[in-house]
Amino acid sequence: MQRDSVSVFVGLGANLGEARHALETAVKAIDQLPHTRVLQCSSFYRSAPVDATGPDYINAVVLIQTRLNAYALLRQFQAIENAAGRERPYRNAPRTLDVDMLLYGEAVIQSEHLMVP
């Protein structure tokens, strides 16, 4: 990866369908994004939904290196979610896949479409 790349922490979660498979597929898809590579992936872990109902989530955190800007990366993450059948019927709804940008280098981003951290 070139010098202008940035380290990004990504949270993954799913609690519908084949949740573990959805996370494994997401990690592979992220690693195949342009100018991006996965450096590390945490163990998968289970957590109860917060402010929501439904089955427990399977979660992981991934460290990536990318040259994509935060908004381009967000669009790529949304495409990965959509490919996994992600729907957004209401806030905190159960989901087939959630891909969240937790940290984008040291940037603080507060916009209508993206909030980091």
Side-chain angles (χ1 to χ4, degrees), residues 71-91:
Y71 294 97
L73 192 58
L74 174 64
R75 286 189 298 277
Q76 294 287 341
F77 289 169
Q78 290 171 338
I80 292 169
E81 289 176 338
N82 291 341
R86 171 73 190 265
E87 295 179 0
R88 293 172 170 78
Y90 55 89
R91 183 171 168 76

Side-chain angles (χ1 to χ4, degrees), residues 53-117:
T53 60
D56 285 354
Y57 280 88
I58 304 297
N59 302 285
V61 176
V62 178
L63 172 61
I64 68 173
Q65 197 78 26
T66 189
R67 291 186 309 173
L68 296 176
N69 71 50
Y71 294 97
L73 192 58
L74 174 64
R75 286 189 298 277
Q76 294 287 341
F77 289 169
Q78 290 171 338
I80 292 169
E81 289 176 338
N82 291 341
R86 171 73 190 265
E87 295 179 0
R88 293 172 170 78
Y90 55 89
R91 183 171 168 76
N92 294 331
R95 54 200 68 147
T96 55
L97 181 63
D98 190 25
V99 182
D100 289 329
M101 193 178 318
L102 304 175
L103 294 172
Y104 184 87
E106 296 182 19
V108 175
I109 304 167
Q110 302 291 319
S111 76
E112 178 183 348
H113 302 289
L114 181 61
M115 295 181 69
V116 177

